[in-house]
Amino acid sequence: MPPSLSASHPTLVVSRNASAVPLPGGAVKLEKHLDTPRPSNKRRMLFLTLGVAGAVIFMGFLAAFLPVYFTVIRKPTSSSIASGSATPSPSSTTSSSSSTSTGTASPTSSSAPAPMTGGDGSVITLSDGSTFTYRNAFGGYWVDDPTNPYNNSARAQSFTPALSEPWNYSLDQIRGVNLGGWLVLEPYIVPALFEKYQNVTASAALPGGQAVDEWTLSVAMRNDTSGSGGIEQIEEHYRTFITERDFAEIAGAGLSWVRLPVPYWVIETWDDEPFLAKTAWNYVLLAFKWARKYGLRVFLELHTVPGSQNGFDGSGRLGTVNFLNGYMGIANAQRTMDYIRYIVEFISQKEYEDVVPMFGIVNEPLLEVIGRDQLTRFYLQAHDMIRNITGIGKGPYIAIHDGFQGTVSWKDFVPGSDRIMLDTHPSVFGPGALVSNLDFPLSFWASVGCIAYSNNQSQYDFGVTISGKFSGAINSCGKWVLGVGQNSTSVDCDVWDDWRNWTQPMKDGIKAFVMSQMDSMVLPGYFFWTWKVGNSSVTGKVEAPFWSYKLGLDNGWIPSDPRDALGTCASLGYPQDLPWNGTYKPWQTGGTGAGTIASTALASFSQYPPPSLSNVNGADPTQLPMYTATSVVPTLSTPVFASATVTEGDGWADAADTSLAVVQVAGCVYPDAWGPPAGSTAVVCSGPTATISTSIAVTQAAYGIT
Ligand SMILES: *[C@@H]1O[C@H](CO)[C@@H](O)[C@H](O)[C@H]1NC(C)=O
Ligand SMILES: *[C@@H]1O[C@H](CO)[C@@H](O)[C@H](O)[C@H]1NC(C)=O
Ligand SMILES: *[C@@H]1O[C@H](CO)[C@@H](O)[C@H](O)[C@H]1NC(C)=O
Ligand SMILES: *[C@@H]1O[C@H](CO)[C@@H](O)[C@H](O)[C@H]1NC(C)=O
Ligand SMILES: *[C@@H]1O[C@H](CO)[C@@H](O)[C@H](O)[C@H]1NC(C)=O
Ligand SMILES: *[C@@H]1O[C@H](CO)[C@@H](O)[C@H](O)[C@H]1NC(C)=O
Ligand SMILES: *[C@@H]1O[C@H](CO)[C@@H](O)[C@H](O)[C@H]1NC(C)=O
Ligand SMILES: *[C@@H]1O[C@H](CO)[C@@H](O)[C@H](O)[C@H]1NC(C)=O
Ligand SMILES: *[C@@H]1O[C@H](CO)[C@@H](O)[C@H](O)[C@H]1NC(C)=O
Ligand SMILES: *[C@@H]1O[C@H](CO)[C@@H](O)[C@H](O)[C@H]1NC(C)=O
């Protein structure tokens, strides 16, 4: 049961004089970003400007230098109008929109609705009456059991464990796709939503009259009072972009997992945050339901956090990093920790643990800005909080992202922790960025994947290590892949962006690139980014084709059986130089020793909040603005099953977890949690537990985004 408001409020601290202006920093932050590349961009530019001549030399040194020169995609880049629990109630409140299906009814008592199941060729009828045929050449079958909505008998493929069976990370390969762009909107994945708002009346909240991230998109939609305007457009997108049919097709494509990015605003929004609050949660519940029906496992991941963890557009707001960084860094981290807690409370319920065996706590935090020490402490704190809820050896794997530092630097991370897994995103713009002609041999593309993408050593050094994001992108082409209005300058993109005209050698090259990555990430596995890319409203077609699994599947550059990737590297003359022997240490998979954290790690990282924070001009983190845990916990709704005879959990696995939710300390004026405007002065609230003698001049530069 979620905790309720307790009578014992902690002593309140504070009062401050900084002004909290609605949507104040947007213009500043946006301009800063667009004008001035962040450090990561500089690296990328260096890489891209090596030029064609460099490509030849580069190839010779590929093996030696690849890890150095490759750089991840850094797309720099949330709330609510309603605050707290008073959020708009979503139009679809039930997540159990039922569908019936004509498969084989299992024999049951004549009065109860029969559990339905079916394999290849069976017909599924959706709640709107439409039908489709389930295609699965891999021996998978779906299960739709009206009397038991938690029936975990479905199996995605014959070679994949049913949900009711254990997953062995040494043996069972994860072949997954992301459901990017569904519940977290990104311009290059769903361009049509953004294209509509590229030329509207500019305002402080909408600099340039342009939607560049979900924040500005939400502002623009809310301000659009025309018949086709309004924030409801986002729910229409949720309703149509990914549907039950996609889950069926994912299983039919030979895939066994989905990685599901969710925004923090599935829970709530605060103050001026313009995002559509809570509604997406109903679709998360639908995703769980459909995953269960088609035998898919879900790697759920928190893709956006308050203040932004990386400043990328996919974090909800393009601009600065205010999570665990800068003046509001601790406060935003407090709020984030709460959101992690609520989600873990939900997915750790027995009804969900088999369907959601993995939870990514913060997607792609920008370590180079936040700092390794700070991030490590947050990760350990989150681990302890989560395992307090689930118990040791139980509950989801906790996925942490490598912060774009590669896997090597995470060697020996917190020994004795309980099932922390490392999520690395080897999405790179390959050497294709260096060339303008298309004549590289297949073996060239394959070599990139075979050499650069192996996680094998990390299975020994860290423990379970997966690739949560990779793609077919051999260069940075694709509309808005680098952000709204940003073009790749390295290649002639016209030829790459119009996938209808790709020649067979082009398709073969991309396929070789994809398959070589799959082969080198064979165990424990990978997640392609992303299942689907939406059409541009301008051209009526996909404009970022490298990133769509479905498009590649339909048009020949994604293998129709992902198992075909096995052996790609060896067959092209890139034998595995590092075969992993398939054995984790017992503690790394929740066995003996898990939960007994090495004393050296405790000594180094257990103090939290961190003793120092980046970009606060040396201020003591304990004296920075903080929230206080005095509010009622916002609850996540549970599904309603009309005909079910089973009892539904209350959304909260651990009744002993009665901590309250953080809120602003009454009477205290906080700086903008998304980045104090340049030149403003923040004075921390003064009181018995938090005082600071001098005011802190908040400048943009202090955030490391110069
Ligand atoms: C789940 O559904 C399958 C397929 O209809 C059925 O055989 C099985 O008995 C059900 N299992 C449970 C636990 O209800
Ligand atoms: C997982 O698979 C490996 C490799 O086959 C095997 O050694 C190990 O015993 C299995 N673990 C479990 C828990 O079954
Ligand atoms: C933007 O809107 C203005 C005013 O409505 C119009 O004059 C201009 O042509 C538009 N620009 C584009 C690129 O659509
Ligand atoms: C909303 O649109 C009007 C013009 O239609 C404009 O004056 C106002 O600044 C806009 N508000 C925001 C928050 O963008
Ligand atoms: C976990 O529980 C222990 C014991 O109840 C408590 O001392 C500790 O503060 C908790 N840790 C976190 C991070 O919640
Ligand atoms: C980016 O490319 C598109 C399509 O070719 C073009 O319309 C647009 O003007 C370019 N933008 C910039 C900033 O170069
Ligand atoms: C691709 O082919 C279509 C016709 O099928 C043509 O209209 C278009 O211009 C071509 N695109 C490029 C980049 O050549
Ligand atoms: C995109 O447009 C094509 C036609 O160009 C259509 O076949 C396809 O269904 C559309 N995709 C989506 C997701 O609407
Ligand atoms: C990694 O190890 C697995 C398991 O031993 C092996 O099948 C695979 O080929 C290895 N990959 C590389 C790139 O060495
Ligand atoms: C796998 O390699 C590790 C590290 O070298 C070693 O400790 C372990 O014993 C090996 N396991 C097997 C089954 O060979």
Side-chain angles (χ1 to χ4, degrees):
M1 184 63 87
S4 53
L5 188 59
S6 128
S8 59
H9 290 213
T11 315
L12 297 189
V13 288
V14 209
S15 85
R16 104 189 5 275
N17 66 5
S19 58
V21 191
L23 300 175
V28 174
K29 282 182 279 185
L30 182 61
E31 286 163 14
K32 288 279 182 190
H33 169 68
L34 294 180
D35 289 347
T36 322
R38 300 196 327 289
S40 54
N41 285 357
K42 287 177 194 155
R43 275 224 311 273
R44 181 170 66 225
M45 286 164 63
L46 170 72
F47 176 68
L48 297 181
T49 52
L50 288 177
V52 177
V56 178
I57 302 164
F58 183 88
M59 284 179 69
F61 291 90
L62 190 61
F65 289 102
L66 205 88
V68 179
Y69 283 104
F70 269 51
T71 184
V72 294
I73 294 164
R74 296 292 174 74
K75 298 177 48 268
T77 36
S78 30
S79 115
S80 57
I81 295 305
S83 67
S85 57
T87 44
S89 73
S91 55
S92 69
T93 51
T94 172
S95 67
S96 61
S97 75
S98 60
S99 55
T100 58
S101 319
T102 62
T104 312
S106 305
T108 54
S109 94
S110 57
S111 57
M116 305 293 289
T117 181
D120 188 35
S122 56
V123 175
I124 310 277
T125 304
L126 300 172
S127 50
D128 65 0
S130 64
T131 61
F132 71 91
T133 301
Y134 175 79
R135 290 286 171 215
N136 189 315
F138 306 109
Y141 52 86
W142 52 267
V143 171
D144 184 11
D145 185 345
T147 60
N148 177 12
Y150 304 116
N151 186 321
N152 287 338
S153 303
R155 187 188 285 277
Q157 298 88 25
S158 60
F159 47 84
T160 297
L163 294 176
S164 53
E165 298 169 351
W167 191 272
N168 183 336
Y169 291 85
S170 297
L171 189 65
D172 301 318
Q173 195 195 338
I174 296 169
R175 300 181 189 89
V177 278
N178 282 271
L179 298 178
W182 184 28
L183 305 179
V184 179
L185 308 182
E186 301 195 37
Y188 74 107
I189 306 177
V190 287
L193 290 173
F194 289 83
E195 283 162 347
K196 186 175 174 184
Y197 297 104
Q198 290 305 300
N199 192 24
V200 296
T201 309
S203 66
L206 206 57
Q210 223 186 2
V212 297
D213 51 27
E214 192 163 343
W215 180 295
T216 47
L217 180 69
S218 301
V219 169
M221 285 178 165
R222 288 183 188 276
N223 200 34
D224 175 2
T225 52
S226 73
S228 62
I231 195 76
E232 298 73 25
Q233 292 171 90
I234 290 182
E235 179 162 18
E236 179 63 12
H237 164 76
Y238 296 159
R239 217 175 51 73
T240 54
F241 187 61
I242 298 288
T243 66
E244 177 173 341
R245 192 184 294 237
D246 291 289
F247 284 76
E249 288 177 6
I250 288 167
L255 304 167
S256 48
W257 285 65
V258 293
R259 184 169 177 269
L260 179 61
V262 296
Y264 77 81
W265 52 90
V266 295
I267 296 163
E268 63 177 5
T269 52
W270 281 17
D271 305 328
D272 60 343
E273 296 167 348
F275 306 112
L276 177 61
K278 289 181 178 289
T279 305
W281 180 253
N282 295 302
Y283 296 86
V284 173
L285 293 178
L286 281 173
F288 294 168
K289 174 189 159 89
W290 294 332
R292 195 189 309 271
K293 179 169 177 178
Y294 295 99
L296 300 168
R297 286 170 170 81
V298 178
F299 171 7
L300 188 71
E301 60 101 4
L302 189 57
H303 206 73
T304 75
V305 302
S308 179
Q309 71 278 25
N310 53 30
F312 306 170
D313 53 9
S315 73
R317 192 164 189 184
L318 181 70
T320 55
V321 177
N322 301 289
F323 161 77
L324 208 59
N325 181 62
Y327 292 92
M328 286 297 281
I330 297 295
N332 280 321
Q334 284 182 291
R335 219 179 135 194
T336 300
M337 196 67 87
D338 265 2
Y339 296 155
I340 292 171
R341 180 162 64 101
Y342 309 152
I343 292 171
V344 167
E345 287 287 6
F346 193 95
I347 63 177
S348 304
Q349 297 176 99
K350 65 179 186 325
E351 292 87 353
Y352 293 92
E353 57 189 7
D354 292 336
V355 179
V356 193
M358 243 185 234
F359 179 46
I361 55 176
V362 183
N363 181 61
E364 299 185 347
L366 204 51
L367 185 147
E368 71 184 56
V369 169
I370 295 169
R372 182 177 292 273
D373 175 82
Q374 290 81 355
L375 201 54
T376 299
R377 289 172 191 277
F378 181 86
Y379 283 161
L380 178 55
Q381 186 74 8
H383 164 274
D384 292 353
M385 183 272 289
I386 291 170
R387 294 306 173 216
N388 270 3
I389 291 170
T390 65
I392 299 298
K394 292 174 281 187
Y397 268 79
I398 301 167
I400 60 167
H401 183 257
D402 68 9
F404 301 113
Q405 303 299 305
T407 56
V408 174
S409 68
W410 296 90
K411 187 177 192 313
D412 297 328
F413 179 79
V414 188
S417 55
D418 179 21
R419 288 167 303 125
I420 295 179
M421 75 195 312
L422 188 60
D423 183 5
T424 186
H425 293 178
S427 308
V428 301
F429 299 134
L434 296 171
V435 300
S436 54
N437 75 69
L438 312 171
D439 301 332
F440 278 87
L442 287 191
S443 58
F444 173 74
W445 298 111
S447 71
V448 177
C450 294
I451 294 171
Y453 289 69
S454 173
N455 294 329
N456 277 7
Q457 186 63 41
S458 191
Q459 312 303 334
Y460 299 118
D461 292 349
F462 178 96
V464 182
T465 304
I466 52 155
S467 294
K469 181 178 183 179
F470 78 104
S471 76
I474 55 171
N475 57 46
S476 57
C477 292
K479 183 174 186 176
W480 294 346
V481 162
L482 297 174
V484 168
Q486 309 284 302
N487 286 348
S488 170
T489 53
S490 56
V491 221
D492 173 11
C493 285
D494 287 350
V495 69
W496 289 112
D497 289 350
D498 199 343
W499 60 269
R500 297 170 308 178
N501 301 359
W502 286 358
T503 61
Q504 197 59 44
M506 288 167 78
K507 292 184 185 181
D508 290 347
I510 296 164
K511 188 172 184 177
F513 181 49
V514 170
M515 289 174 70
S516 66
Q517 293 175 78
M518 289 174 163
D519 190 25
S520 62
M521 303 181 303
V522 58
L523 279 167
Y526 54 75
F527 294 83
F528 189 93
W529 182 273
T530 182
W531 170 243
K532 194 185 250 184
V533 170
N535 287 335
S536 161
S537 61
V538 178
T539 64
K541 61 184 175 63
V542 172
E543 292 295 323
F546 293 141
W547 302 86
S548 176
Y549 198 94
K550 189 170 158 54
L551 191 69
L553 205 53
D554 292 345
N555 293 283
W557 63 88
I558 295 286
S560 51
D561 183 346
R563 293 174 303 172
D564 290 349
L566 204 63
T568 299
C569 292
S571 74
L572 289 167
Y574 290 89
Q576 293 115 12
D577 51 2
L578 195 65
W580 171 52
N581 69 13
T583 309
Y584 292 112
K585 299 185 185 79
W587 67 267
Q588 291 173 327
T589 51
T592 308
T596 307
I597 292 178
S599 55
T600 45
L602 287 178
S604 303
F605 302 117
S606 58
Q607 184 185 336
Y608 190 86
S612 75
L613 215 61
S614 303
N615 301 305
V616 293
N617 289 343
D620 177 353
T622 62
Q623 300 191 319
L624 293 170
M626 288 194 203
Y627 299 132
T628 177
T630 58
S631 181
V632 178
V633 166
T635 47
L636 291 165
S637 62
T638 54
V640 178
F641 298 109
S643 59
T645 54
V646 296
T647 52
E648 167 64 33
D650 61 7
W652 199 262
D654 179 18
D657 174 11
T658 56
S659 309
L660 293 172
V662 297
V663 283
Q664 291 193 350
V665 175
C668 181
V669 179
Y670 287 74
D672 177 6
W674 293 83
S680 77
T681 300
V683 179
V684 174
C685 300
S686 60
T689 63
T691 54
I692 192 162
S693 52
T694 54
S695 62
I696 300 161
V698 177
T699 64
Q700 199 72 16
Y703 284 78
I705 312 294
T706 52

